Structures are given as structure tokens and as C-alpha cells.
Amino acid sequence: MAKKGAAPLIGPRRHMQAPVEHAMHRKATCLRLLHYFRAEQWRVALLTLIVAVSVAAGVSAPVFMSWAIDAITAAAYEKVPDILLWMFGAFALYAVLLFFQGRLSARLSQSIIRRLRKDLFEKINGLPLVYLDRHPHGDLMSRMTNDADNIATVISTSLGTMFAGLLSIIGTTAVMLSFSVPLTALTWLTAVVTVLMTKYIAAKMGRYFRERQELLGRLNSMVEEEVMAVRTVKAYAREAKVTADFVQTADSLTKTGIRAESIGSSMGPVMNTISNFSFVIVSVFGAYFALRGWITVGVISAFTIYSKQFSRPINEMAQLYGQIETALAGAERIFSVLDEPGERRQGREVPDVVHGDIEFRHVSFSYVPEKRVIDDFSLRIGAGRKIALVGATGSGKTTIVNLLMRFYEIDEGRILLDGQDIRTYAPVSLRKLVGIVLQDTVLFSDTVRYNIAYAKPGATLDEVQRAAEFAHADAFIQHLPQQYDTVLQGAGAGLSAGQRQLLAIARACLASPRILILDEATSNVDTRTEASIQDAMARLMHDRTCLIIAHRLSTIRDADEIIVMDQGRIVEHGRHEELLQQNGRYRALYETQFAGQES
């Protein structure tokens, strides 16, 4: 895991940017990241060659300039054109190679990140639901986007820059030593001062930049909450208070931003001052050495360039330190997800002919150890029967569905399908038998046709239309701009809750499953619409094993059996009229709803 300077950002604070993160296992993370470079060996080799040649061209250009100046000083003018031609050639080669270095680095980084994101996306799809429930979705998205982008940035910019900088320092030092050891020592001295000043300013700057990012995240959260809760704000006339809080945070952000930018903008002038100071030192001592006859005038000219050429990669590498550390921490976060055990997919295929007989036999389950949600639950659902589960919130109704779908694995007991333990079947094969309509309808930002056909890839338009007519969704679809080809923006944000639920019912109709699960499937449909689709729902459930989770008890009067649950156990069971006559938990729930109150 990555060591952070702040706690993970979850919920409304997710827009905040944390300080530079540090990987706890740098070496292991680097070695694992290098694994992704193996498929790009030819690009890495070509990039290494280009960087080496470009550094050689950049280092040699001042040498040619030194020779030209010395030739002019010695009145050997016939040599000058050839030397200048070599010098311009070196500069031109350097510029061209820099262009190709940037393009190749970009291709290398995007190729590596594409494979890394592909591995991560496949892993997330294969993770068990328990992992996704216990980890903030925003954090997983951040690993897919921000962490991957940080790695891509380091590969495309920092990798080539670091390698080129290292070669440039070595090459420049070698050439300077060949010219003058004393001047080289003086250049190194100013480079040390540059590094120390960079660290000092970066430390000061980091404090204010972190504070600015925290305030920016807080401001973004306030805006997000205001937009999402605008009706509540207006209903309670809190506009003035919300505005005052926003202005206060914005003022703090402005003050901190000014301090941060002021210190940040001082980095350039300070570095230039040190560079100019180095230039003065080289010029003064170079002139003195030239007067003593120890070096030539051309060497002085070359050293003035080398002093800048020498300090530039040091400054760049110092500034890239934070980016590299953050990228390594991001890679470690990505690898931590890749190392998670995936959902067990082994098992045999479900037989072609399935009757749909389901039995829960002494099933116990807990999300958190020692806190059971389902306790010694036993239930037999005969093939083709319609069973309803009712009970207060938290009684375990939805958990029963999760266990049947193998979104979670049971702790004790067995769940049987036609007498066979469902754990012997591959989860994907098992889930193909089940059609499910959830209370919270999930639609995709695609066409209406695609959303209905999601349950049966390759379905024809006629099949989609029949399913929509079956679910009474065709009527409103015909009034959409492009009917079945209408693209749902924002995952159906332009549709009413009832219309979205009708599309989900149509999707289940198209799947034609052997087992049907309805989790409060008509909760978002008005009473009139609900009545109009009762016959469609009855036809859909005909001759199928149905498990219905219901809060609106009026929708389950015709269920073959109603199971009343409380704290993971069955407390009552029977048909609607039988349960009313028992004057127990079910009758209390029914009378509460009949009185117009929430259960």
C-alpha cells in the first residue's frame, strides 16, 4: 500500500488532492512496473538510442563553438565555415531528436498505460461483490484515472528527461574536465547550491500548495452539494448561509493561492540568479585563467554554456522527484487491486434443462464476522412457484437474493438448485438462468434498444419491441425523438423513475429467464401504471420460479406463499389471507400500510 500524507479522500471530499504520496515498497513496485516494459522493448531500446545521440549532439555543440572562437582568435578563418557547419548540424540533430523523443515517449507511455488499465478494468470486473461494497467506488475510479495518468506522465516526460539528464551531467562533466578541472569544480559548486535552494523552496511551496488543494477540494465539494441539494436549500431558505460559507472558503482559497503562487513563481528567478551567478564566476575565473594562458577564450565561451547545460538537468530532476514518487505510489495502489483475490469462477455448466426448484437448507451468512444477517434460514421454493419475501428494512430479504446469485458466498448451509449445490456451478453459468429487476434501475448511456437488449446480446429489433410491448414500455418509447434508437443521456436521466423501471422490466422479459427475481420492481411506478402492467407481470412470472421482494404488500396478494422475515429468520409464512388471520407480524405490516404510513 502507498503511504500518504493524508487520509484517503472519500465522499464529498473526493475532489481534494492529497500531498505527494510515497510508495512503501519502491523497489518491488519499480520491478513490477518494469514488467510492463517487456512488451515494449524495441521502443525502449530506440528511445535509449535517441536520448543518447541527442545528449551527445547537445554536449558536442559547445565544443564546436569553442573551436570556432579559437580559430577566429588565431586568425585561422578558413577553418571557421566547416566548424560552424558541424556546430549547426549538431544543434539541428539535437532539435530533431528531441521531437522524436517526445513522440516515442508518448507512444510508449500510452501503450503501457493501456495495458495497465486493461488489466485493472478486467480485475475490477472479476472482483467479488464484497470487495466492491467495502471499498469506495470513487477510490477505484481514482486508481483507474488519476493514478494511471500520473504513471503515464512520468513515463512520457520524466523517464526520458531523467535518462537524458543523467547522460547530460556525465557527458558535460567529462568535456568540462577535459577543458579545465578548476572551472569544472566551480561549476559543480554552483550546482550544489542550486539543489539546496530547490529543496528549500520546494518545501516551503509544498505547504501552501497542499493547503490550496485542500481548500479547492472543499470549495468543489460545497458547489457539488449545493447543486445536488438545491431544492432542499431553497425549501429551507438557506441561500444566504450557503453563499456566506462559499465566500468564506473562496476568500481563504484566494489568500492561500496568492502565497502559493508567489513562492512558486520565485523558483524561476532564484534559479536564474544562481545560474547568472555561476555565469559570472565562470567568466571571471575563466578570464583570469585565460590571461595566465591556462585556457583559451573559446573554452571560456564553452564553459558559460556548459554551466547552464549542467545545472538544467539537476533542476529538472529535483523538480521531477515529487512526480516520480506520486507515480510509484499510484502504481502501488493499482498493484494492490490487481493482487486482490478475484471471484471464484470455476465450476461446471448448469444443465440445459433446469426445472427451477430452489432450496435454502440451514443457511447462515454475515457481512461482518460474528454479526449474522441470515441465521439458520431454510426455505423450499418449488419449480414454477411465486414466493414473496417481506419484512422490515434490514431483515435480510435482499441478502437472500445476493446469496442465490452468488454475489456473496454463504458461511454455513447449502443452497440447492434442482437438488444440486449451486457452489458446484460456475457463477456466470448460474446467473444466466436468472432475470432480475432491481428497485434501483441501472441504465446505460446508449440507445433504448441497447438497454433492453442488454439481457440478450444480438436480439433483433422485433424481439426488443415485443419485450417492450409486453412490459407496457412501448407506448412511451414511441414518443421519444428516435424511438428505440434514442440515446439515453446520463444513463436515462431524462426519463422518469417509472419509465426507467419499465425498461428494466422489458429487459427481464427479453431475457426469458427460468428464475425471476423482482426486488420491489414496481416501487417507482404510479398506482395507475402499476395496475396496467399487472397482467404483463403475471404473464412474465407464469411457469417460472419467482422470488419477489416487496414493501408494497398490495402487489403480492396472489403469491403462492409469503415469507415474513425478521433478523435473518422466518417468523411467519403462508398466503395473504392466512397471514391476515394470524394477527401476527404480517397483519401489523399490512394495517400500517393501509393506514397510509411507511413500514
Side-chain angles (χ1 to χ4, degrees):
M1 295 295 291
K3 181 181 179 182
K4 302 183 180 181
L9 302 178
I10 303 170
R13 299 176 64 237
R14 61 184 176 273
H15 296 291
M16 297 185 186
Q17 297 183 17
V20 172
E21 300 181 20
H22 301 274
M24 295 181 63
H25 306 96
R26 292 183 180 88
K27 184 177 180 180
T29 303
C30 286
L31 290 175
R32 190 165 179 181
L33 194 57
L34 286 175
H35 173 76
Y36 284 88
F37 283 81
R38 291 181 180 177
E40 308 294 332
Q41 290 180 358
W42 70 271
R43 280 199 177 103
V44 174
L46 183 58
L47 179 62
T48 303
L49 179 62
I50 289 176
V51 170
V53 176
S54 66
V55 169
V59 171
S60 63
V63 176
F64 294 127
M65 186 183 67
S66 173
W67 291 352
I69 293 174
D70 288 341
I72 294 173
T73 304
Y77 301 113
E78 70 281 359
K79 298 180 180 179
V80 174
D82 291 338
I83 297 174
L84 290 179
L85 185 62
W86 280 101
M87 183 180 71
F88 289 137
F91 278 126
L93 179 62
Y94 178 72
V96 171
L97 291 177
L98 278 183
F99 171 76
F100 284 106
Q101 177 185 327
R103 287 182 61 88
L104 190 59
S105 296
R107 288 182 178 273
L108 175 65
S109 67
Q110 291 306 312
S111 179
I112 290 174
I113 293 306
R114 179 183 62 82
R115 288 190 290 112
L116 189 62
R117 278 188 171 139
K118 176 177 175 292
D119 290 347
L120 181 59
F121 189 78
E122 289 179 347
K123 184 65 180 185
I124 291 175
N125 275 332
L127 286 172
L129 199 62
V130 61
Y131 179 90
L132 298 175
D133 283 344
R134 293 176 181 175
H135 290 77
H137 296 173
D139 181 62
L140 290 175
M141 291 173 61
S142 178
R143 298 179 196 224
M144 178 70 74
T145 54
N146 296 340
D147 291 337
D149 284 341
N150 288 334
I151 298 171
T153 299
V154 167
I155 294 174
S156 63
T157 59
S158 304
L159 189 65
T161 300
M162 292 286 287
F163 183 53
L166 183 61
L167 290 182
S168 180
I169 291 173
I170 296 173
T172 302
T173 301
V175 175
M176 288 193 300
L177 286 173
S178 68
F179 282 148
S180 173
V181 174
L183 282 181
T184 303
L186 289 172
T187 303
W188 266 94
L189 179 62
T190 56
V192 171
V193 175
T194 300
V195 172
L196 294 176
M197 287 301 298
T198 300
K199 288 188 64 177
Y200 176 77
I201 295 175
K204 287 284 186 182
M205 185 172 56
R207 169 193 166 190
Y208 289 108
F209 271 93
R210 284 193 295 269
E211 186 177 345
R212 186 185 69 172
Q213 293 307 120
E214 290 174 0
L215 289 169
L216 181 61
R218 193 183 307 168
L219 199 70
N220 288 336
S221 297
M222 292 178 68
V223 173
E224 181 185 19
E225 289 177 358
E226 163 65 14
V227 171
M228 294 180 64
V230 62
R231 287 181 174 82
T232 303
V233 172
K234 290 182 177 296
Y236 287 93
R238 299 285 288 177
E239 294 94 335
K241 178 63 169 62
V242 169
T243 302
D245 292 342
F246 178 86
V247 170
Q248 182 180 359
T249 305
D251 288 344
S252 299
L253 176 62
T254 301
K255 294 176 183 177
T256 304
I258 292 173
R259 294 192 188 100
E261 293 298 336
S262 297
I263 297 177
S265 61
S266 69
M267 177 74 79
V270 171
M271 294 301 104
N272 286 333
T273 300
I274 296 175
S275 179
N276 292 332
F277 183 64
S278 174
F279 178 82
V280 171
I281 291 177
V282 169
S283 299
V284 171
F285 281 89
Y288 174 75
F289 294 157
L291 290 175
R292 298 295 297 268
W294 297 344
I295 60 175
T296 64
V297 176
V299 171
I300 300 176
S301 176
F303 253 94
T304 57
I305 296 177
Y306 282 132
S307 63
K308 291 182 177 294
Q309 202 173 48
F310 180 80
S311 60
R312 186 184 67 250
I314 295 177
N315 292 337
E316 290 176 348
M317 286 190 287
Q319 294 174 12
L320 290 174
Y321 171 79
Q323 293 182 23
I324 295 173
E325 282 290 335
T326 301
L328 286 177
E332 195 171 60
R333 280 159 48 81
I334 290 175
F335 293 146
S336 69
V337 177
L338 294 178
D339 290 337
E340 286 291 329
E343 183 179 48
R344 192 174 68 87
R345 299 189 176 187
Q346 296 80 11
R348 57 195 177 98
E349 292 294 312
V350 175
D352 294 334
V353 178
V354 175
H355 300 289
D357 186 272
I358 301 171
E359 181 179 1
F360 292 81
R361 187 177 294 175
H362 303 292
V363 171
S364 295
F365 171 77
S366 58
Y367 292 104
V368 180
E370 300 180 0
K371 189 176 181 181
R372 285 190 171 180
V373 178
I374 302 297
D375 188 15
D376 195 27
F377 182 89
S378 294
L379 174 66
R380 172 76 181 276
I381 306 175
R385 299 194 72 208
K386 182 167 63 174
I387 303 298
L389 298 179
V390 301
T393 300
S395 60
K397 305 183 298 297
T398 301
T399 301
I400 291 296
V401 172
N402 289 336
L403 297 178
L404 178 60
M405 295 289 290
R406 288 194 65 190
F407 291 149
Y408 295 88
E409 297 293 350
I410 61 177
D411 298 333
E412 299 175 9
R414 302 170 71 194
I415 302 177
L416 307 177
L417 174 63
D418 290 349
Q420 297 296 317
D421 195 321
I422 63 172
R423 286 174 293 190
T424 64
Y425 297 127
V428 173
S429 179
L430 176 68
R431 291 164 190 166
K432 287 180 180 178
L433 295 174
V434 183
I436 186 167
V437 180
L438 300 174
Q439 181 177 359
D440 297 323
T441 303
V442 176
L443 298 177
F444 302 94
S445 297
D446 208 307
T447 63
V448 172
R449 177 180 177 179
Y450 172 86
N451 275 279
I452 296 176
Y454 193 80
K456 185 181 179 182
T460 65
L461 180 59
D462 288 341
E463 290 176 312
V464 171
Q465 286 179 325
R466 283 197 298 270
E469 291 171 358
F470 197 79
H472 291 262
D474 182 71
F476 84 83
I477 294 175
Q478 294 297 337
H479 289 87
L480 296 177
Q482 283 79 41
Q483 299 179 352
Y484 286 87
D485 291 324
T486 302
V487 176
L488 302 180
Q489 301 295 335
L495 302 178
S496 69
Q499 289 172 332
R500 291 198 297 270
Q501 209 153 44
L502 288 176
L503 290 181
I505 295 172
R507 182 190 295 166
C509 293
L510 183 61
S512 188
R514 189 69 197 88
I515 300 171
L516 183 65
I517 297 175
L518 304 176
D519 187 352
E520 197 60 34
T522 59
S523 62
N524 291 324
V525 178
D526 60 84
T527 305
R528 182 177 178 181
T529 304
E530 180 185 356
S532 69
I533 66 173
Q534 286 299 323
D535 61 329
M537 295 294 292
R539 282 181 289 161
L540 176 61
M541 292 185 288
H542 177 67
D543 199 31
R544 290 186 172 91
T545 304
C546 299
L547 190 59
I548 307 169
I549 297 176
H551 293 286
R552 193 184 298 178
L553 302 184
S554 60
T555 63
I556 58 170
R557 292 188 180 189
D558 60 342
D560 295 322
E561 187 174 15
I562 298 173
I563 307 299
V564 184
M565 296 185 63
D566 183 47
Q567 297 183 1
R569 290 176 174 269
I570 297 176
V571 294
E572 292 178 358
H573 64 91
R575 293 184 62 86
H576 175 71
E577 294 79 6
E578 296 173 355
L579 292 174
L580 288 180
Q581 292 176 2
Q582 292 180 14
N583 291 324
R585 187 70 56 84
Y586 181 81
R587 184 180 181 90
L589 289 171
Y590 185 81
E591 290 180 346
T592 301
Q593 288 193 9
F594 186 76
Q597 302 173 16
E598 288 190 2
S599 61

